[in-house]
Amino acid sequence: MITIRPATLADAAAISAVHCSTVDVWRDPYTRQPTDVTALNLFGRWYNGGPWMSVETCAVHLNALLLRRHVALVAEVDGHVVGEAEFYINREPAPFGPHLHVSILYVHREWQHQGVGRALIEAGIDYARAQQLAALTTQPESEAVGFYQGIGFQPWMRMLEMQATAGGDIPGNLELLPCDAGPPTHLALRLGRYQCGMRGWEVLWLSLAIPELQALRRSVWRGELNGTPVMLGLHEQFRDPTQADGYAWLPPSAPLSPAVAALRGLAARAGYSAVDLLLPQDALSELQTRFKLDYQTTVTLWKIDLATANQTFQLSNV
Ligand SMILES: CC(C)(COP(=O)(O)OP(=O)(O)OC[C@H]1O[C@@H](n2cnc3c(N)ncnc32)[C@H](O)[C@@H]1OP(=O)(O)O)[C@@H](O)C(=O)NCCC(=O)NCCS
């Protein structure tokens, strides 16, 4: 029998073991060549799948997630943790609205295809309903699309990662934020929506004391562009220090082009040559006419709308 329960810090080692069990080949972060896991330091392990890849960083990550009152669930069989899911609570303006985002779902290699993943997602759906959140969203890896489709998720928003050259003026007043600033609650993450708004915010602030991660530059600005409130962020890419990922939180109906212009200007001022911008596909034509943008990749946000979903899910003891 599969039991679902909230994760605690005491689960860090077991959660890390679940994630590590799914790695086919460990790779060196610099050469990308296959390597023995024992040759990797904390950064090397992080590179192969994030903070869950070592017990130390998994505990730090879980601690931050739980302190911010997001949700981590584990699936147990006979008292052993066999799967883990993490969900971020987002309360953003339209079109996103109040929703629960599935940011992580991993089932131990030996327990896959036995109902564990479904049980974890159904528990998340149950939690979202109890919290009156309107939807569940996720950005699945391509291998897991069939799994999410089977549970009832549907493609919702197609986003294109486009690269803009850095340069130009900054059209507004912006101030650099201190590192203890809270996430914006009245604005939506509309550029750089990798996963969800709360996850985007987290990425911009350093949470692990790992030198290789500390060396990557991150900056967040708050201010106004043409009288519209904004928050903007830049994050140096590990692979190429001349490039940054750009983030912009804006009101739902504000045009995106002032934020793109500001991110290009801020990127140039910080010494980057280009900035990657993940933007909604329907905004592309407006932005292409003004900026030269080069296509990088496509990301799709999937959703279950809980108001219209007809399934009723049971929490725990599946
Ligand atoms: C993807 C994953 C979470 C699915 O969990 P799981 O416990 O193996 O899946 P379940 O047994 O609950 O499967 C539920 C249903 O989805 C189907 N399914 C499972 N994995 C699937 C996949 N990769 N593609 C298509 N369908 C899949 C199952 O056949 C099952 O269908 P059924 O209910 O009709 O029998 C798990 O395989 C995993 O951890 N994979 C590695 C990490 C990963 O890819 N995580 C997702 C990142 S977005």
Side-chain angles (χ1 to χ4, degrees):
M1 187 167 75
I2 303 162
T3 306
I4 308 296
R5 65 165 174 81
T8 73
L9 284 186
D11 295 313
I15 291 172
S16 179
V18 165
H19 285 250
C20 291
S21 78
T22 67
V23 176
D24 290 323
V25 180
W26 294 87
R27 292 188 182 276
D28 179 277
Y30 299 100
T31 64
R32 298 201 219 193
Q33 292 303 310
T35 186
D36 193 290
V37 60
T38 56
L40 296 170
N41 65 8
L42 285 185
F43 174 68
R45 292 184 71 122
W46 176 90
Y47 173 82
N48 278 272
W52 306 272
M53 293 294 138
S54 59
V55 179
E56 297 88 340
T57 52
C58 184
V60 173
H61 164 80
L62 198 57
N63 191 55
L65 187 88
L66 298 178
L67 282 179
R68 291 185 190 122
R69 308 243 178 267
H70 295 299
V71 183
L73 300 177
V74 287
E76 280 186 332
V77 175
D78 296 334
H80 297 291
V81 172
V82 296
E84 192 231 2
E86 296 180 6
F87 304 87
Y88 281 79
I89 300 167
N90 291 267
R91 297 185 190 277
E92 288 174 274
F96 306 106
H99 67 279
L100 193 66
H101 182 83
V102 187
S103 64
I104 279 292
L105 175 66
Y106 274 77
V107 174
H108 194 287
R109 188 184 286 275
E110 289 170 16
W111 282 91
Q112 291 176 6
H113 299 285
Q114 298 175 58
V116 175
R118 175 181 280 274
L120 282 161
I121 295 298
E122 289 179 355
I125 290 173
D126 227 31
Y127 176 87
R129 284 192 197 281
Q131 298 296 313
Q132 271 131 33
L133 298 167
L136 247 77
T137 59
T138 195
Q139 276 176 16
E141 301 288 337
S142 52
E143 310 82 56
V145 158
F147 165 79
Y148 284 105
Q149 255 170 341
I151 286 185
F153 281 80
Q154 294 181 336
W156 176 42
M157 193 178 288
R158 220 167 126 88
M159 292 175 289
L160 307 178
E161 188 183 279
M162 307 295 293
Q163 188 167 82
T165 51
D169 294 333
I170 300 165
N173 300 316
L174 298 169
E175 57 161 338
L176 200 58
L177 279 188
C179 62
D180 57 352
T185 52
H186 55 301
L187 305 174
L189 179 58
R190 295 179 53 209
L191 289 177
R193 197 176 182 87
Y194 299 97
Q195 300 290 342
C196 62
M198 292 305 294
R199 179 81 188 123
W201 187 257
E202 200 177 84
V203 165
L204 284 166
W205 305 102
L206 185 66
S207 57
L208 293 173
I210 292 181
E212 294 88 339
L213 295 177
Q214 285 173 280
L216 300 177
R217 293 174 291 159
R218 301 162 162 84
S219 310
V220 185
W221 295 265
R222 172 174 51 203
E224 286 193 352
L225 297 176
N226 301 338
T228 299
V230 293
M231 279 190 165
L232 302 174
L234 286 176
H235 184 302
E236 178 185 324
Q237 295 179 4
F238 167 62
R239 283 267 152 240
D240 186 347
T242 69
Q243 298 186 5
D245 292 325
Y247 297 81
W249 281 262
L250 296 158
S253 54
L256 292 173
S257 52
V260 172
L263 285 167
R264 290 183 65 236
L266 291 165
R269 204 191 272 178
Y272 296 110
S273 60
V275 55
D276 282 345
L277 302 166
L278 184 65
L279 48 93
Q281 187 176 29
D282 58 14
L284 184 63
S285 55
E286 166 208 339
L287 298 173
Q288 277 285 33
T289 55
R290 182 158 168 206
F291 308 101
K292 184 182 168 309
L293 301 172
D294 289 326
Y295 174 78
Q296 308 283 297
T297 189
T298 301
V299 173
T300 303
L301 191 59
W302 290 60
K303 167 164 122 161
I304 289 187
D305 190 336
L306 295 182
T308 55
N310 54 10
Q311 302 103 315
T312 309
F313 297 104
Q314 298 294 318
L315 179 62
S316 171
N317 294 350
V318 180

